[in-house]
Amino acid sequence: MLALPIAMDLADDARRGRLLTLALAASGTAIAMAGLWQFAHGGDDLENRIHATLSTYMTFSAIVMIASCILLAILFEGRGRGRWIGLAAAVPLAAMLLTFTRNAYVGMLAALLGYLLWRRPRGLLIFLPALVLVVALLPLEIRSRMRSIGDLSDPSNRDRVSMWHAGMRMVGDFPILGLGPEMVKYYYPLYRDADSVHWSVAHLHNNAVQIAAASGVPAAATYLGMAILPIAASARRLRREQRPEVAAPLAAVLLASIALFVAGFFEYNFGDTEVEMATLLLWALPFSAATAPGREGASV
């Protein structure tokens, strides 16, 4: 957690803020390329989902989602030749789509809609037809996966609802301090619904519910505050920011924070160390000197 104040201190001008976002985008894009290679060599179904160099496809989908948000922010807010770096967003976006990971699909869609509604409403006239075209060009298996997002007869969807029920029972019994770190998976069989798909689970597939069950309601409230504050701060600042070297990092924070927050309703992405570290670095930017108002002399 110290990464948050450390990044706030080190990102002391626009150049360092831009370098931070570019480093995250570059690493995510490189990993995405490894994932695309895996997809072309057998990782093209639910039983063999791509994960590149990371341990699971869930972690991989979140990392490439973050990289996509950063590069799209550069494309949307940048100026001059450097803006076209944002076209590289096609690589992590493609990798994210090919992971079959529905929480990432929902998070990315929410991020783009939220950004466009707030910053560029007329962009919806281009985005919506483009979305329809992209979905139409996707492999049939990916489209089927997308259609299952709202299907409560889907076993994994029903199991997530069961996990949330179990989490609420845990919170009801231990509201202040929770069951304890790493204890949710051990107590889950005692709290699960009778018709749960799985007898045991590693976590509850929801950031707030998992944190509340493990560490108590105050800890979950702290997480929610930490997640919402960067969204609010970056949105407020972005509305009146005219400097592209500052607007791009702010847009990256807005897009990525919305995507991670919404995806976190369906997956415990804040529990992945790799995802958490990248998230904390981005959360620091709206509160650092890199995006401070009135620094007209800052340069990229």
Side-chain angles (χ1 to χ4, degrees):
M1 298 301 292
L2 287 174
L4 183 60
I6 290 172
M8 289 169 62
D9 181 61
L10 291 178
D12 57 3
D13 60 30
R15 182 184 64 85
R16 287 192 173 184
R18 180 176 171 83
L19 285 175
L20 174 61
T21 56
L22 285 175
L24 291 173
S27 62
T29 302
I31 292 172
M33 293 174 69
L36 292 175
W37 184 92
Q38 285 181 341
F39 188 87
H41 292 79
D44 56 355
D45 57 52
L46 279 171
E47 301 301 320
N48 300 282
R49 294 160 74 174
I50 58 177
H51 56 82
T53 60
L54 300 170
S55 57
T56 71
Y57 53 83
M58 287 292 187
T59 306
F60 175 65
S61 64
I63 292 294
V64 295
M65 182 174 68
I66 292 171
S68 301
C69 289
I70 294 171
L71 290 168
L72 286 172
I74 294 172
L75 182 63
F76 294 155
E77 298 290 345
R79 296 291 183 273
R81 288 179 296 178
R83 178 182 193 177
W84 303 114
I85 294 173
L87 292 175
V91 176
L93 271 175
M96 185 200 74
L97 289 170
L98 297 177
T99 61
F100 293 88
T101 307
R102 294 174 296 184
N103 70 77
Y105 299 163
V106 176
M108 194 73 225
L109 179 61
L112 287 169
L113 287 175
Y115 169 83
L116 291 172
L117 285 169
W118 182 254
R119 182 70 165 165
R120 304 181 188 281
R122 285 181 291 183
L124 291 170
L125 298 175
I126 299 174
F127 171 70
L128 295 176
L131 177 65
V132 172
L133 177 62
V134 169
V135 171
L137 294 175
L138 288 172
L140 178 61
E141 295 82 358
I142 301 293
R143 297 204 305 272
S144 298
R145 185 70 171 162
M146 289 179 171
R147 285 195 296 269
S148 71
I149 288 175
D151 183 6
L152 289 180
S153 66
D154 181 88
S156 62
N157 289 348
R158 287 192 292 108
D159 206 35
R160 274 169 169 72
V161 175
S162 295
M163 291 178 206
W164 302 338
H165 290 166
M168 291 299 97
R169 295 185 191 109
M170 294 173 187
V171 172
D173 285 350
F174 302 93
I176 306 303
L177 298 177
L179 288 167
E182 305 300 325
M183 297 305 294
V184 168
K185 60 184 176 182
Y186 298 112
Y187 280 88
Y188 180 77
L190 301 178
Y191 287 91
R192 62 189 284 274
D193 286 348
D195 61 348
S196 295
V197 177
H198 295 106
W199 176 263
S200 63
V201 296
H203 52 74
L204 301 177
H205 286 271
N206 181 294
N207 285 334
V209 174
Q210 172 69 26
I211 293 171
S215 303
V217 172
T222 301
Y223 157 74
L224 291 172
M226 291 178 65
I228 292 171
L229 276 175
I231 295 174
S234 57
R236 178 178 58 84
R237 293 279 315 286
L238 188 59
R239 174 59 69 89
R240 55 179 180 268
E241 184 57 64
Q242 300 298 319
R243 295 163 295 165
E245 69 271 16
V246 176
L250 286 172
V253 175
L254 180 62
L255 283 160
S257 297
I258 293 175
L260 290 163
F261 183 65
V262 173
F265 282 101
F266 311 100
E267 174 58 30
Y268 183 36
N269 55 24
F270 200 63
D272 276 332
T273 300
E274 300 91 338
V275 179
E276 181 187 9
M277 290 296 292
T279 302
L280 292 173
L281 294 176
L282 285 173
W283 281 356
L285 288 178
F287 311 102
S288 71
T291 61
R295 292 174 62 85
E296 300 297 336
S299 60
V300 179

